Amino acid sequence: QVQLVESGGGLVQPGGSLRLSCAASGTIFSISVMGWYRQAPGKQRDLVETITRDGNTNYADSVKGRLTISRDNAENTVYLQMNSLKPEDTAVYYCYARRATLGYWGKGTLVTVSS
């Protein structure tokens, strides 16, 4: 199994910045993809950004240039640097990892963008 623990969520004002972290533990060998999804109240869970081991990224157009994924050298931790935050970024942010044919989810961390 893979366990994913997110941290860094909280309340931030519009235009502000926040950085989320996701640490993977357990059977982390051969994790191929890690990244972030988000779900606002009453809406579906949508892609934010993912990254592969070779550094390829996939991201939603709505976050381009504002929210950026990165990884540490061990590739078992990913970050989401969030800049120029907007109220519509408010959501529960979920860490995601894929190993072989299985996907794993963290419990989520709440980001609220409000003045």
Side-chain angles (χ1 to χ4, degrees):
Q1 289 186 322
V2 174
Q3 292 80 47
L4 303 171
V5 179
E6 306 100 331
S7 62
L11 175 65
V12 63
Q13 294 186 350
S17 297
L18 207 63
R19 191 176 79 154
L20 306 183
S21 300
C22 174
S25 61
T27 310
I28 61 175
F29 179 76
S30 293
I31 290 177
S32 59
V33 180
M34 292 188 69
W36 298 92
Y37 290 71
R38 66 185 180 185
Q39 186 169 17
K43 297 184 178 180
Q44 67 181 27
R45 187 175 299 183
D46 291 328
L47 167 74
V48 177
E49 192 166 6
T50 59
I51 188 167
T52 65
R53 285 190 174 273
D54 62 358
N56 289 330
T57 59
N58 188 30
Y59 53 85
D61 289 341
S62 61
V63 308
K64 184 178 181 180
R66 300 189 303 111
L67 279 62
T68 304
I69 195 169
S70 62
R71 58 183 179 176
D72 72 357
N73 291 333
E75 298 185 350
N76 62 354
T77 302
V78 294
Y79 306 91
L80 186 67
Q81 180 65 49
M82 303 186 293
N83 299 323
S84 301
L85 284 165
K86 304 175 180 179
E88 51 263 43
D89 294 317
T90 296
V92 176
Y93 284 71
Y94 295 92
C95 185
Y96 170 82
R98 188 174 76 216
R99 184 182 66 84
T101 60
L102 298 178
Y104 301 87
W105 295 96
K107 293 183 178 180
T109 185
L110 177 63
V111 173
T112 302
V113 184
S114 176
S115 59

